[in-house]
Amino acid sequence: MAFRQIKIFDTTLRDGEQSPGCSMHINEKIELALQLERLGADIIEAGFAASSPGDFDSVRTIAQRIKNCRVASLARALAADVDKAYEAIKDAAAPRIHIFLATSPLHMQYKLKMTEDEVLSRIAESVKYAKSKVFDVEFSAEDASRSDRGFLKKAFEAAVKAGATVINMPDTVGYCTPGEMYDLARFVKENVKGADKVDLSAHNHNDLGLAVANSLAMVEAGITQVECTVNGIGERAGNASLEEIVMGINTRPYLYNAETRVNTKEIYKTCKLVSNIIGVNIHPTKPIVGGNAFAHEAGIHQHGVLAKKETYEILSPESVGIPENKIVLGKHSGKHAFYEHLKEMGYRDINGERLQELFDEFKRLCDVKKSVSNRDIEALLSNKSLEKNLKYTLENFVINCKKGNAYAAVSIRCGDNEIKTEIQDGDGPIDGAFRAVDKIVGRNFMLSDYGVQSVTEGKEALGESYVRLSLENGASVIGRGVSTDVIESGILAYVDAVNKLLE
Ligand code: KIV
Ligand code: ZN
């Protein structure tokens, strides 16, 4: 039986990134876009080109790099926004302009201060204008779920008549229930003239915890595109989570009569990448990728799973690419075995100098840890301090500390040759070390968050630190560092954040 194809529209880089604490550096956005391409997203919304020069640059760079999926930029229903969106995405293999305008009485009266007729003309004009530039134009009726049905029908018909290829019905404030969103999707499918010629799309926010349920209800109702974000990040309580929607459909294809193009084995890696970039750990009970999602603690469950997995397991960790955390390699493993193992873990593009550096790091780790597991290797892979051409790199450090007081001497390589050393005191070793880095760099950075956690169990485990430095304009950058020495991992994370900030 051939299932209906549901297109996955990923908006992690737009709706996800615009929420507080989730901002990403352009290099991280590119890395994530490439991973979303590998995952098999159908459309990547790379950003909102008109919102800032930084967003414009990242949308344009992503549009130029991505070859196997569509790249979209958001735009308000304004010619100037459409122009910016077009400039940013015009080099994409498959460009899309995504126009939005609110259609609910509340938004039209208080936010837009526009009449219904004005809104209808603006939709028609902006979609027509975008259509003169690209073939693929999406129209979103912001706050569609709280819009009057009769007016929404007119708004969507205006968009379709002007050439829209996708019409999207967001539950912008996460207010509705699955039953209501099912009805809305059926209403649009059955009543909007031309609805059968375009993709119908869901975009649900999670304010009441219903975003995924609402999206899946709309899939049942017959829509063909779902907008979502990795780990469900997004405004307020977030957006519908990509991995939950994809696995929901993948687990019950007959119920939804649907499938996606997503390579589910890339899900875990994608979720980990987003968690590392934004410095927010995946909650242990998060469906699909949380640390406990496949753990069976209760005796009855363990017994059942041992007898037959399916008694308590509806999907397997392997199906979403969670590597078994078995001990995989050790001191005597050679470079070839290490390389083969990376490939097995799904990292097929690592070779040359990068492979050698990772292998050297792996060997150093083997000297400290008797055995190295997949989770250790993942941590090494995400270690930014191995990157080349960094402005600052940690050379060495010495800590002298007693309770409540510490001295830190830190040496940093600045550029290619110069090594600078500073000694600073602080409340503790981390405080002293961060002050020493500040002194070397000649700045006083605002540390707004710092955390450390162990990658695996045991005293000799790798420690993974993250540091958030804030800027006066409210933006922040995240730095990460990995080492078996938690002080070193903290300094590495701090230096990583400084490099990003001063780029
Ligand atoms: O939530 C929303 O309504 C949006 C639109 C811009 C699509 O993000
Ligand atoms: Zn949204």
Side-chain angles (χ1 to χ4, degrees), residues 14-15 203 205 239:
R14 200 276 298 171
D15 223 352
H203 178 111
H205 279 266
N239 288 54

Side-chain angles (χ1 to χ4, degrees), residues 14-15 74 98 100 140 142-143 168 170 172 203 205 227:
R14 200 276 298 171
D15 223 352
L74 188 68
H98 176 194
F100 75 101
S140 283
E142 191 187 9
D143 209 16
N168 184 32
T172 302
H203 178 111
H205 279 266
E227 303 194 352

Side-chain angles (χ1 to χ4, degrees), residues 23 158 205 259 262 355 404:
S23 55
H205 279 266
E259 64 185 3
V262 168
L355 175 65

